[in-house]
Amino acid sequence: MMSAAFLCCASSNAMAALEVFACEPEWASLASEIGGDKVKTFSATHARQDPHFIKARPSLISKVRRADLIVCSGADLEIGWLPLLLERAGADVQRGAVGNVMAYQYVPLLEIPTVIDRSLGDIHPDGNPHIHLDPRNLLLVGKELLNRLVLIDEGNSDFYKLRFAQFETKLNTAIARWLEEGKQLKGMQVMTKHKSLSYLIKFFGLEEVASLEPRPGLPPTSSHLAKILESVGSKNVRAIIRAPYESDRGIDWITSKTKIKNVIIPYTVDGDDNSGDLFALFDRSLAILKSAL
Amino acid sequence: MLRIKFAVLTCLLVILGSSPLWAASDQEVELLRAEIAAMKAAHEERILLLEAKLEEVAVAKVAAKSEASSDEIIAVAPIRPATNRRQIKKNLFNPSIGLIFNGQYTQHETAEGEIAGFAVGHEGERGGEGFAIDHTELTFSSSIDDKFFGSLTAAIVKHEGKTEIELEEAFIQTMPGLGLPTGASIKAGRFLATIGYLNEHHTHTDDFTDRPLPYRVFLDGGYNDDGLQATYVLPTDFYAEIGGGLFRGDDYPFGGSDGEGIDAWTAYARTGGDIGENQSWRLGGSVLSGKSTTGRESNHELVSYVGDTDLYIADARYTWAPTGNATNQEFALQGEFFWKEEDGFYSDAESGADSVLMDDSSEGWYTQATYKFARNWRFGARYSQLNAADVPTGLIGSHLDGEGYNPKAYTAMFDWTNSEFSRVRLQYNREELASGQGDDQIMLQYIMSIGAHAAHKY
């Protein structure tokens, strides 16, 4: 046991790559964009896992304990497991420390509730935490990640700055293209399963006419679905969009009675076979939405 | 301004293009077109600039907000009536407060429910019948400063007709800011010791209404004592954790500590990991060792014990969830094995045994499985069994004489979880705790929480 411990540490020192613990794949991907081979990223969840509901498993404890930098969405998205993991992590990645980035703090948040009460469902008091689906937020969070990487690993600061500048240019160009190519999506009426796609909806200017969850986090009820179906007649709803980890409960019922399509948006990196990085994620989301028009 | 000019020009162009009276030359049209294109470009640039500015302001606003603690944001963000705007700043540092409601209705088939061959403490006895509220837990917790965290859990319980407050936990714990090596932490005060699997969990997080037989007889439900405990997560790629504690030795399976010296200690080691994407596991081994100096009372104060007790526990847990996503489906398998060695003197007021030497071991184990088959629904089954020690002649006929019988219990449960804050459970037990005795039990239970609710451990 002791020799194993010694070996692992000796090898990690030799590599000297910063260990980045990301709660979600999008942040691992963003950290790789900026950190390149100077960082070793690990994502606690993958695209088919609901980041609200994973467990503080033993394997995650060992990962977080070795992390130099933690990047999470925050805004209570990881409240069920991150606090337990942080208890086992180092001082430099605790709340408020240089190695702790809670992405929600650096972007304008949507859906900040004015009333906070548990009878209203799964409420996030700080606002909707699924912020990465507006690519402009990736720049804001990326800027902060750059600041932190420079502080933690000063020796490679030029490397990080250069990579961020390249990423920024590439993303700005892509954003302009997405907005241009997504023009026809403006005003497209959609329904959602959960409020996990709000930022994407805002970015492309879609119109969310209803959510199948009667209240955030509560599964659809038949009376709520009936109400939705009733209201559909007067509208021109093209699709029900959802993340890969969200169940299709209730969706089939509505799509079988209407011409509304059942559409899965990749939601995050590797959400489907054609979403291998952040750029592909938005390319793919755009293509899926356009084909649902 | 730009927008109006643009509109006017567009109108002009339309008029020019459609009116035969103003049959302008191609050259003039081209000129106008070029001018419009230039204006359009300027217009777009201006909009982009304004958007960038807007983004800057938004970011500055967010940055300013992020400097305040999240608690403050919650307190400040909602729109309130003017009369309610007075801020009481001292409240911002209030600890998190959580309350657990736990009530049940129980029905037993037989009047007798004693566990043959074992010394059983108050919490390990069969619960009462009818409507009852079990432990109502009140938890206060908060970071104390940059280096310490504090937590208190008090249970309001009814004991022999009186409502009492039991101090389940009152501890402080070091935070990473203290400068201990990464992965190390020290806890001091009264707390549920880190041994086995269930012991460090509060009962409201259990998968069944009651604790399995070995917990009832060996730990009186759970071992929480006054002491000090150190834990350390090793810096290995796989999860490995070790730890140990020193305790007063006042809680079951010890008791009657006169406070001179340290009467009990613990040690544990754990490891765990993932198998592919769907499966996770944890294995652990632990020791609880100590002595009862002035006498540990059990079996309604009829049995007392003075001597050494060593308890060895092995625990395992395995979970499976499709793609590691436990939202709608999860299977969990868990088991613990206990081996207890006692070397001391038993007295039994009922059988008349007086300080009879007993040097022997007893065992117990349970295994349980739960399956979540839909987002809000689970069912589960559990089997637990005990193997009593052989008693010396002096203890024949006493509470410790199990007459070679191995007590066992079969359990099935079904529960509905509306949210992480509320759960309703139906449980059936078949307990065969003494030779020729069988008891069918039905329990209907609710567990609900308000206020702050700490995340549940794996």
Side-chain angles (χ1 to χ4, degrees):
Chain A
M1 188 89 109
M2 285 314 284
S3 69
F6 173 74
L7 274 177
C8 87
C9 298
S11 66
S12 80
N13 280 340
M15 271 158 47
L18 283 187
E19 302 233 7
V20 179
F21 180 98
C23 289
E24 291 86 18
E26 59 268 20
W27 306 126
S29 204
L30 184 61
S32 308
E33 293 282 355
I34 303 168
D37 58 3
K38 305 276 188 256
V39 301
K40 197 174 136 201
T41 59
F42 169 80
S43 176
T45 55
H46 56 70
R48 277 154 299 139
Q49 285 179 329
D50 186 340
H52 290 95
F53 291 115
I54 67 154
K55 301 264 167 78
R57 306 189 307 274
S59 62
L60 296 183
I61 294 174
S62 60
K63 288 286 181 195
V64 84
R65 184 213 175 290
R66 298 156 52 80
D68 300 303
L69 177 63
I70 289 178
V71 197
C72 298
S73 297
D76 285 356
L77 181 62
E78 303 93 357
I79 192 142
W81 48 281
L82 188 60
L84 284 176
L85 295 181
L86 281 180
E87 270 180 31
R88 312 305 190 79
D92 293 338
V93 295
Q94 299 297 321
R95 189 175 138 169
V98 66
N100 182 305
V101 177
M102 291 296 132
Y104 85 99
Q105 295 182 330
Y106 305 98
V107 302
L109 291 170
L110 298 178
E111 298 161 13
I112 298 173
T114 49
V115 180
I116 293 162
D117 190 294
R118 289 215 172 117
S119 68
L120 303 176
D122 186 9
I123 291 275
H124 291 273
D126 295 309
N128 187 322
H130 307 277
I131 55 170
H132 66 285
L133 284 175
D134 185 333
R136 292 167 297 200
N137 287 343
L138 296 176
L139 277 182
L140 299 174
V141 179
K143 246 173 230 168
E144 189 57 33
L145 260 185
L146 170 68
N147 293 342
R148 305 299 182 94
L149 283 170
V150 166
L151 282 170
I152 296 169
D153 185 15
E154 222 187 324
N156 288 317
S157 60
D158 288 341
F159 175 84
Y160 296 131
K161 281 176 188 162
L162 180 69
R163 282 196 65 106
F164 178 72
Q166 287 166 344
F167 172 70
E168 192 179 26
T169 313
K170 196 176 158 197
L171 188 60
N172 271 326
T173 314
I175 287 173
R177 181 167 53 83
W178 291 325
L179 284 176
E180 178 62 33
E181 289 173 9
K183 262 183 186 161
Q184 60 195 102
L185 296 177
K186 265 216 167 73
M188 173 186 179
Q189 292 190 333
V190 293
M191 295 199 280
T192 58
K193 182 73 200 288
H194 178 69
K195 290 283 187 183
S196 49
L197 301 168
S198 298
Y199 291 86
L200 190 73
I201 287 170
K202 187 191 160 226
F203 179 66
F204 284 124
L206 312 182
E207 190 194 333
E208 184 184 2
V209 299
S211 177
L212 298 201
E213 289 182 345
R215 281 170 180 179
L218 301 186
T221 57
S222 46
S223 62
H224 182 67
L225 290 179
K227 224 183 269 172
I228 286 178
L229 191 65
E230 213 173 281
S231 70
V232 158
S234 58
K235 295 186 181 95
N236 184 23
V237 181
R238 315 302 306 188
I240 300 174
I241 57 176
R242 66 180 161 113
Y245 61 78
E246 287 165 3
S247 86
D248 56 6
R249 192 173 151 190
I251 294 180
D252 288 347
W253 189 77
I254 293 211
T255 51
S256 68
K257 288 187 163 33
T258 59
K259 281 185 177 159
I260 298 171
K261 297 186 190 88
N262 176 2
V263 171
I264 300 175
I265 302 289
Y267 177 75
T268 185
V269 175
D270 287 331
D272 65 13
D273 291 343
N274 300 307
S275 306
D277 64 23
L278 290 167
F279 295 95
L281 167 66
F282 287 97
D283 281 336
R284 182 82 181 129
S285 304
L286 178 64
I288 291 173
L289 285 172
K290 279 167 95 170
S291 68
L293 248 182
Chain B
M1 216 24 212
L2 265 171
R3 198 179 283 259
I4 295 167
K5 271 192 197 166
F6 186 64
V8 169
L9 261 166
T10 315
C11 289
L12 267 173
L13 187 69
V14 170
I15 295 164
L16 282 173
S18 61
S19 165
L21 287 173
W22 286 79
S25 70
D26 285 357
Q27 221 177 349
E28 274 173 313
V29 172
E30 278 309 303
L31 219 81
L32 273 168
R33 277 211 177 117
E35 202 175 325
I36 289 167
M39 285 193 90
K40 205 171 159 187
H43 181 82
E44 269 170 8
E45 200 178 13
R46 187 81 178 269
I47 287 175
L48 275 176
L49 250 154
L50 282 172
E51 268 184 0
K53 238 183 206 162
L54 191 71
E55 191 184 272
E56 257 179 46
V57 172
V59 172
K61 218 173 113 188
V62 171
K65 193 177 93 175
S66 72
E67 274 165 29
S69 86
S70 58
D71 295 341
E72 269 174 330
I73 294 163
I74 296 165
V76 174
I79 301 155
R80 293 149 189 247
T83 49
N84 205 9
R85 256 183 216 145
R86 187 168 60 103
Q87 252 202 52
I88 304 162
K89 288 239 164 74
K90 282 175 183 167
N91 282 356
L92 296 178
F93 293 109
N94 275 354
S96 308
I97 300 170
L99 191 56
I100 310 277
F101 298 106
N102 182 352
Q104 62 194 59
Y105 177 81
T106 312
Q107 208 172 325
H108 298 152
E109 194 199 4
T110 58
E112 277 293 301
E114 292 228 344
I115 303 174
F118 285 89
V120 181
H122 171 69
E123 302 274 340
E125 286 162 18
R126 190 178 73 167
E129 273 192 289
F131 282 111
I133 51 170
D134 198 357
H135 290 50
T136 305
E137 280 180 10
L138 184 58
T139 300
F140 295 84
S141 67
S142 170
S143 43
I144 292 163
D145 53 23
D146 60 323
K147 296 182 170 56
F148 299 101
F149 168 88
S151 176
L152 177 140
T153 302
I156 305 166
V157 292
K158 204 169 177 185
H159 183 216
E160 286 170 1
K162 277 188 206 148
T163 300
E164 295 175 351
I165 291 189
E166 261 176 28
L167 196 56
E168 286 196 351
E169 291 197 295
F171 66 84
I172 58 121
Q173 189 173 8
T174 63
M175 296 210 297
L178 183 65
L180 292 174
T182 297
S185 171
I186 292 172
K187 214 182 219 189
R190 178 178 303 172
F191 51 91
L192 292 159
T194 307
I195 48 169
Y197 178 82
L198 282 178
N199 197 71
E200 61 178 333
H201 290 79
H202 285 270
T203 49
H204 76 262
T205 69
D206 287 4
D207 295 323
F208 294 86
T209 305
D210 55 350
R211 288 241 148 145
L213 290 178
Y215 268 89
R216 288 168 59 184
V217 301
F218 296 135
L219 295 166
D220 198 28
Y223 179 64
N224 59 334
D225 206 347
D226 300 356
L228 186 82
Q229 179 179 279
T231 60
Y232 181 56
V233 181
L234 299 176
T236 44
D237 264 334
F238 59 94
Y239 164 73
E241 182 178 332
I242 52 170
L246 301 171
F247 295 90
R248 183 184 170 91
D250 236 353
D251 192 48
Y252 207 91
F254 318 111
S257 168
D258 53 13
E260 281 177 30
I262 294 154
D263 280 353
W265 61 269
T266 62
Y268 76 89
R270 277 175 186 170
T271 184
D274 295 338
I275 309 165
E277 219 174 45
N278 303 338
Q279 304 164 80
S280 302
W281 58 275
R282 199 189 87 179
L283 276 177
S286 36
V287 188
L288 171 63
S289 174
K291 58 187 178 201
S292 311
T293 38
T294 58
R296 172 195 78 202
E297 305 290 335
S298 63
N299 307 63
H300 304 282
E301 271 82 59
L302 291 171
V303 175
S304 95
Y305 173 76
V306 177
D308 297 335
T309 302
D310 298 315
L311 187 63
Y312 302 89
I313 312 167
D315 65 275
R317 183 171 162 85
Y318 162 89
T319 53
W320 171 90
T323 68
N325 202 2
T327 323
N328 297 310
Q329 212 184 350
E330 186 187 35
F331 171 76
L333 186 67
Q334 177 186 316
E336 292 183 68
F337 180 83
F338 292 73
W339 191 61
K340 181 163 109 162
E341 220 175 41
E342 277 187 330
D343 182 4
F345 300 91
Y346 267 107
S347 305
D348 186 328
E350 211 164 62
S351 76
D354 185 27
S355 291
V356 180
L357 176 69
M358 179 147 141
D359 181 1
D360 208 341
S361 64
S362 52
E363 287 138 40
W365 58 279
Y366 76 89
T367 180
Q368 65 173 59
T370 57
Y371 181 58
K372 180 181 190 174
F373 59 95
R375 190 183 175 111
N376 307 98
W377 299 93
R378 297 191 311 170
F379 59 79
R382 181 180 71 190
Y383 175 76
S384 40
Q385 187 183 319
L386 302 169
N387 299 334
D390 295 326
V391 288
T393 9
L395 286 172
I396 288 173
S398 75
H399 283 90
L400 300 175
D401 183 7
E403 295 166 351
Y405 182 78
N406 297 329
K408 47 178 106 36
Y410 307 84
T411 302
M413 77 85 187
F414 185 62
D415 67 18
W416 173 65
T417 309
N418 180 51
S419 69
E420 57 257 61
F421 310 108
S422 68
R423 173 172 284 168
V424 178
R425 176 184 291 142
L426 180 67
Q427 181 170 317
Y428 163 78
N429 281 358
R430 163 92 189 157
E431 292 189 339
E432 294 169 3
L433 303 182
S435 181
Q437 189 202 98
D439 186 15
D440 293 303
Q441 309 169 354
I442 293 285
M443 300 164 182
L444 185 63
Q445 182 194 24
Y446 64 78
I447 307 159
M448 312 220 172
S449 79
I450 56 173
H453 190 67
H456 288 178
K457 294 176 177 130
Y458 174 80

